[in-house]
Amino acid sequence: MGADLSQRLVPDGLWELVAPLLPSFNSRPQGGGTAPLDERAVLTAVVYVLTSGCAWRHLPETFRVSPATAHRRFTAWTKAGLWRRLNRAVLDELGARNELDWTSAIVDAASVRAKRGPLTGPNPVARGKKGSKLHVLSDAQGLPLAVAVSGANMHDSLALKPLIRGIPAVRSRRGPRRRRPVKLRADKAYFSADHVAWLRERGLIPRIAQPGIESGERLSRYRWKTESSIAWLFDYRRLTIRYERKGSHFNSPRETRFYSFSALLAFLSLLFL
C-alpha cells in the first residue's frame, strides 16, 4: 500500500486520536498463534471499505490485510464501542478548538436504500422499497452532533427527542462541558405542541416552521447547512446503499444515543482529511 494512500485515509492526526481508543490485543496464554497485524494498517483497510463502498471481499491486496481479517476486526471494534468513543473524542477536539457553533442546532433526515436487516422499512417515497433513514442533528455550521438510523417508514419527528438527548457533553475551550444549543431549527415535519413545550422545558428556543402558517423559505436560510452535510456524507459510498445485514454494523445504539459508523468516519474527514 502506498504511503500517500495510507496518509490520506488515516493521517497522523486521526491515528493519534484513534490509537488510544482501540481495544488491546490479548496474546494467547499458551503462546504461538498468528502475530497481530499492525493496527493502523487494519484501520486503513476498514476506512477504505467504509468510504469507498466496496464489498469486504473486494478489499485490494495492496492493503496487505485479508478481507476476513478487516471485517472481523471491524466487527470486534463495533462490539467494543469504538465508534461511540471516537465520536466523543472528535467532538471534544472540536470543542476544545472552539470550532463548534452552539448558537443553534439543525435537524434533518434522508432515506437510503437497504438490502436487508433490522432498522429498515418500506420507503413511502420509493414505492415501498425497503430502506433506512439517516437522521442528523448538527450545530449551526453543519457539523454533526448526533446521528440516528431508523426504518425508512419512521416519521422524522419521532427522532427529534432521541437526537436532542443524544448530544454528548462536549469539551469547551473554557468552562464546563456543553451539550445544549441555544436554538433548535427544524422544518414542518417536526412541529407539534408537545415538541415545542418539551424543548422550552429544556431551555432550548424552538425555531420550527408551523404548518399552514410559516413558509419554509426562512428556515431554508439555515437548513441548507445540514442538507449539505447529509449530501456530503452520501459521497461516501457505504452510506448510499445499506448492505450491512446486522443493524449494529450500520448503527450502534446505546441508551438514547445513536452512532452511525459510516457517517462518523466521513465526519472525521472534516477534522483530518
Side-chain angles (χ1 to χ4, degrees):
M1 177 177 55
D4 292 342
L5 179 60
S6 177
Q7 278 293 322
R8 182 172 64 83
L9 293 175
V10 183
D12 293 338
L14 175 57
W15 176 243
E16 291 174 4
L17 195 65
V18 176
L21 305 177
L22 293 174
S24 59
F25 176 82
N26 297 319
S27 59
R28 302 191 334 169
Q30 68 272 33
T34 303
L37 292 173
D38 177 67
E39 296 280 52
R40 185 168 183 174
V42 178
L43 179 65
T44 302
V46 170
V47 172
Y48 175 81
V49 171
L50 299 183
T51 55
S52 70
C54 78
W56 291 98
R57 64 181 180 276
H58 294 154
L59 179 67
E61 294 181 358
T62 53
F63 284 91
R64 298 180 181 177
V65 177
S66 72
T69 297
H71 185 264
R72 184 168 57 248
R73 196 67 61 86
F74 165 73
T75 300
W77 288 343
T78 299
K79 186 176 180 179
L82 171 64
W83 315 121
R84 172 177 50 82
R85 296 196 302 273
L86 191 51
N87 174 273
R88 175 66 67 85
V90 170
L91 289 176
D92 278 346
E93 181 72 18
L94 291 171
R97 297 181 186 181
N98 199 31
E99 293 181 5
L100 292 175
D101 188 344
W102 293 97
T103 56
S104 66
I106 313 168
V107 62
D108 207 349
S111 297
V112 297
R113 289 176 57 194
K115 296 295 185 178
R116 64 193 81 180
L119 298 175
T120 61
N123 191 337
V125 298
R127 296 177 292 175
K129 293 181 180 179
K130 183 177 289 188
S132 295
K133 185 176 287 187
L134 183 67
H135 307 266
V136 178
L137 182 130
S138 72
D139 75 343
Q141 56 189 337
L143 292 174
L145 297 174
V147 177
V149 176
S150 71
N153 57 330
M154 192 183 90
H155 196 273
D156 293 356
S157 62
L158 297 179
L160 180 62
K161 291 182 180 180
L163 285 170
I164 295 293
R165 295 192 189 102
I167 302 174
V170 181
R171 284 176 57 190
S172 299
R173 193 168 187 176
R174 299 183 182 85
R177 289 179 173 269
R178 181 168 184 172
R179 64 184 307 170
R180 188 176 66 189
V182 177
K183 303 174 184 178
L184 188 282
R185 301 185 187 276
D187 62 24
K188 299 176 183 180
Y190 297 89
F191 180 83
S192 73
D194 173 66
H195 280 162
V196 170
W198 186 83
L199 290 169
R200 286 173 175 165
E201 287 175 1
R202 282 154 181 77
L204 280 75
I205 301 173
R207 289 290 184 265
I208 307 176
Q210 299 184 48
I213 298 178
E214 293 179 278
S215 168
E217 294 181 0
R218 293 180 60 188
L219 178 63
S220 297
R221 292 182 298 173
Y222 306 97
R223 198 180 67 179
W224 70 267
K225 298 176 182 179
T226 295
E227 291 174 340
S228 295
S229 294
I230 292 175
W232 176 80
L233 291 175
F234 283 159
D235 284 341
Y236 292 79
R237 308 313 297 173
R238 200 73 180 185
L239 276 178
T240 55
I241 299 178
R242 176 190 161 184
Y243 290 99
E244 304 298 335
R245 180 174 301 174
K246 293 184 178 181
S248 60
H249 284 185
F250 193 76
N251 180 70
S252 179
R254 182 182 181 187
E255 298 174 353
T256 58
R257 298 180 183 179
F258 304 82
Y259 304 88
S260 167
F261 69 81
S262 299
L264 171 59
L265 286 174
F267 169 41
L268 292 177
S269 66
L270 287 172
L271 188 60
F272 296 107
L273 305 188

